[in-house]
Amino acid sequence: MNRTDLAARARQAALRSYSPYSGFRVGAVVVDEHGDVHTGSNVENAAYGSSICAEATAISGAVAAGLRRILVVAVACIDAESVDGAYPCGNCRQLMNEFGTRWVIVTAGEGSDVRRHTLEELHPFGFFLG
Ligand code: THU
């Protein structure tokens, strides 16, 4: 799947966001080592700190399904003003780091830029126990 298709899938996932507190709908699509796709959206909570990012729900779903390598993560923040406001948080970058992610695709709403980065670019010197 190319970056335009992944961005479109991530935007679709954002429509299933549960974000009554921030009003900020985020969707994520991850591609595992077999080329299969897993989706997620942000899930908020009245106890704000219990909220879960879209990337975290997508990565958790893939891992719980038995996968251990996530090659690509695409994230779409459809309520962001532009792609500049759509980048993954530091915690999610570290979650990607754990499962060997190489590419990160970032976009906002329909018609916005779709950018591609390496995780190394967004999260250099990520933490490993070692
Ligand atoms: N959010 C994500 O889903 N991913 C990120 O990388 C950053 C932030 C969500 C969490 C919260 O539901 C909303 O965006 C506002 O912070």
Side-chain angles (χ1 to χ4, degrees):
M1 206 179 301
N2 64 32
R3 94 163 88 159
T4 310
D5 292 338
L6 286 168
R9 292 283 299 263
R11 287 193 197 106
Q12 274 174 11
L15 296 175
R16 295 192 289 272
S17 162
Y18 177 73
S19 44
Y21 303 104
S22 73
F24 199 70
R25 293 169 295 170
V26 187
V29 169
V30 307
V31 182
D32 68 31
E33 67 260 43
H34 307 301
D36 293 331
V37 156
H38 308 259
T39 62
S41 63
N42 56 331
V43 179
E44 296 187 345
N45 193 276
Y48 298 163
S50 299
S51 298
I52 311 169
C53 288
E55 301 91 317
T57 64
I59 291 169
S60 301
V63 172
L67 286 313
R68 291 294 181 269
R69 297 261 309 160
I70 289 165
L71 306 178
V72 185
V73 176
V75 58
C77 300
I78 60 175
D79 297 308
E81 281 183 15
S82 79
V83 67
D84 290 331
Y87 277 72
C89 74
N91 186 60
C92 288
R93 295 177 197 204
Q94 177 63 27
L95 292 180
M96 296 175 205
N97 183 73
E98 182 75 18
F99 298 104
T101 301
R102 177 154 173 75
W103 297 107
V104 183
I105 292 160
V106 187
T107 195
E110 201 156 348
S112 68
D113 287 349
V114 177
R115 293 199 193 136
R116 189 183 70 169
H117 299 274
T118 61
L119 181 62
E120 181 64 26
E121 188 185 346
L122 299 182
H123 189 64
F125 301 104
F127 182 71
F128 286 99
L129 275 181

